[in-house]
Every structure is written in structure tokens, then in C-alpha cells.
Amino acid sequence: MRDTRESRLLLVLLIAIAFALITVDIRGGEDSPVDGARQAAATVFGPIEDGVSTAVDPIGNAVSAIRDSGERHDRLAALEKENAALKAELGSDDRNRSRVRQLDKMLKTAANGQYGIKGAEVIAIGAAQGFSWTVTIDIGSKEGIKRDMTVLNGDGLVGRVTTVGPNTATVLLASDPDFTVGTRMEATDELGFASGQGDRPLRVELLNGKAKVKKGDRLVTFGSEADKPFVPGVPVGVVSRVDPSGGDLTRTIYVRPYVGFTKLDIVGVVVEAPGRDPRDTVLPDKPKPTPTPTVTVTVTPSAAAPTDGQPQEQ
């Protein structure tokens, strides 16, 4: 269209009409006289808008997916946290069950030996008072604990009390190199002295250099005068090695202790000694030997074999 006077007048007229329609539409609101036209336009252009929307939705969906992914991640993190908490609770339950078993076993040991004990929990380990193999327990003088009392658990001899405070006490473990306890062999009654060797088996010097002893034999505490520091009959360990007898006055053997000194938890301090020596009654039952299966082979003669032992003629 050329720029003529008529074209400029037409343009001005169209602009004026447009402003008039906009004014009428705004003032009319929902009753606008152009509402029908708008609906008609929506009917015509709606499918086009839907197609455009469909083309744009994948991007919107991706953004929503990322947002939802973040929400799902938060929920997953929460679930994982709950799962970890449940596992921790289960672990705590397992530990509690383990401690109940330890306590039950210790009470049975005390009952078999007629030991009066006070239960305690190991709360610290380390080189207390210069000792290298010690533990600290959570009872002390307020509970009647005194120096040189025997300490045991469900497995056997743990050690002896060396230092006592109002609420705690230090126990020197039987594995400490400065630890010595009198021992007695099961059945044969051979006496000796056991000394700690750290994480190695206890070293025992038997007083009888010609004592008959073998791997698997068991030892208990012999006991001390006035039952301090050791009461009699507490299981010590099992013989793991015997040195050859060389005609010496003593004989050296090595004993694997019943107690695992690196995993102590519940222990008992003997506050009342037994009325009589329990001897070997506190020792655990010996494991039953596994029977060796026997195989019997029966030879059945073949049907084609001759009965007189002579080869058959062809």
C-alpha cells in the first residue's frame, strides 16, 4: 500500500476503532459485547495453542521432573535416615541381648562356684597407674569393692582389683606381664604359677618338673590365703603347648586363657568367697568328641564268576 492521504486516514480510523473496542471490553467485564467474539477466537485458535503447549510441555515436564526428583531425593534421604536409625536400634538390641547372655553366663559361673559377686561394666581400657593391661570398671568403694579382689566373667578369670576409687576401680588383667596367679591342674592337682604374656598364651611353671601334662588339659585358680587376691576354682585356661621335660625342677607349659581380654564388657567382682573349694565344678563341660564314621565294604561275587574258583571254558 502506498503512503497516500487516504491510507493514512484509514490507519487512524482503525486505531480509533481498536481503542473503542478495548474501552468497551474493559467496562463491560464478563458482559462485554465482544465476549462472543473472544470465544469464537478461542474456538479457532484453541487447537493451535494446545499444539504449542504440547510442544513446550516436555521442557516444563523436565523442570517438574527435576523438582520432583529433588523432593523424592529428600524423601529417600529421610527413608535412609529412618533405616539407619532402625539398624542402629537393632544393633543396640543385639548388643543388649549379648550383654544379657554375658550376665546370665556369669551368674551361672558364680552359682557353680558359690561366689558372691557384684556385677560391673568395663568403661575404659588403658595404661592406668602404669599398668599396660588394665581395665576400669564402674563400681568402687561405695559398692564395697576393695583392693585384691578376684574379678571374673562367664568364661573365667579376668584379673584382680588393684586400685579403688569411690565409684570406679582398676583391674589388672591376667594377660599383664606383671600378673601371677597360682594354678591347679584339673584331675591331677599339679600346682603351678601362671604369668601373663600380653596377647600370647599364659606361661605356667609347674612345680613338678616330671608332671604328666598334655595339650587340652585344663587349669583353675588354686586360691590364696584368706581368698585374696584369688578365690579357688575359677577357670583359667586350656593347655596349648608343653615344653619337653629336660630334668629341671619345674616344667613349662603354655595355656590359652578362657577369657578374651580384648572384648571385655560385663564382669563380676568376687566380694564373698565360697565356703569351700569348688574344685573343678566351675569348669565348662568338655566338648563331646565327634564320632568317626566307619565304612564297611562288602564284596559281592559276580553272577558270571565260577563257584569253584576255576576259570570257565569258552
Side-chain angles (χ1 to χ4, degrees), residues 130-152:
F131 298 122
S132 57
W133 286 77
T134 62
V135 296
T136 302
I137 57 176
D138 63 349
I139 57 175
S141 58
K142 289 184 177 180
E143 289 78 19
I145 306 304
K146 298 179 181 179
R147 180 182 171 88
D148 286 337
M149 284 184 167
T150 306
V151 182
L152 51 76

Side-chain angles (χ1 to χ4, degrees), residues 84-151:
L86 289 173
K87 286 183 178 180
E89 184 177 349
L90 178 61
S92 177
D93 289 344
D94 288 343
R95 183 171 185 269
N96 288 336
R97 285 193 289 268
S98 173
R99 301 182 82 188
V100 168
R101 287 194 295 268
Q102 292 179 53
L103 182 60
D104 182 63
K105 189 175 182 180
M106 183 177 69
L107 291 175
K108 289 180 179 178
T109 297
N112 290 337
Q114 296 298 303
Y115 307 123
I117 66 170
K118 284 199 173 182
E121 180 181 356
V122 174
I123 57 175
I125 60 174
Q129 287 80 37
F131 298 122
S132 57
W133 286 77
T134 62
V135 296
T136 302
I137 57 176
D138 63 349
I139 57 175
S141 58
K142 289 184 177 180
E143 289 78 19
I145 306 304
K146 298 179 181 179
R147 180 182 171 88
D148 286 337
M149 284 184 167
T150 306
V151 182

Side-chain angles (χ1 to χ4, degrees), residues 6 10 26 36 49 56 88 91 120 123 129 131 137 140 151 158-159 169 205 214 230 238 244 253 258 268 298-299:
E6 290 80 5
L10 180 59
I26 293 175
E49 291 177 349
V56 175
I123 57 175
Q129 287 80 37
F131 298 122
I137 57 176
V151 182
V158 172
E205 295 291 337
K214 64 183 183 300
F230 303 108
V238 180
I253 62 176
Y258 283 116
T298 303
V299 180

Side-chain angles (χ1 to χ4, degrees), residues 225-245:
E225 185 178 358
D227 298 311
K228 288 188 176 181
F230 303 108
V231 294
V234 180
V236 175
V238 180
V239 175
S240 58
R241 181 163 67 90
V242 180
D243 278 358
S245 177

Side-chain angles (χ1 to χ4, degrees), residues 208-272:
N208 181 5
K210 297 181 181 180
K212 294 182 179 181
V213 58
K214 64 183 183 300
K215 183 177 179 180
D217 287 346
R218 306 187 296 180
L219 295 83
V220 298
T221 56
F222 177 67
S224 308
E225 185 178 358
D227 298 311
K228 288 188 176 181
F230 303 108
V231 294
V234 180
V236 175
V238 180
V239 175
S240 58
R241 181 163 67 90
V242 180
D243 278 358
S245 177
D248 296 333
L249 296 178
T250 61
R251 188 169 191 184
T252 303
I253 62 176
Y254 297 88
V255 173
R256 175 178 54 82
Y258 283 116
V259 172
F261 298 106
T262 60
K263 52 183 180 181
L264 292 171
D265 188 5
I266 303 297
V267 299
V269 181
V270 180
V271 295
E272 184 179 351

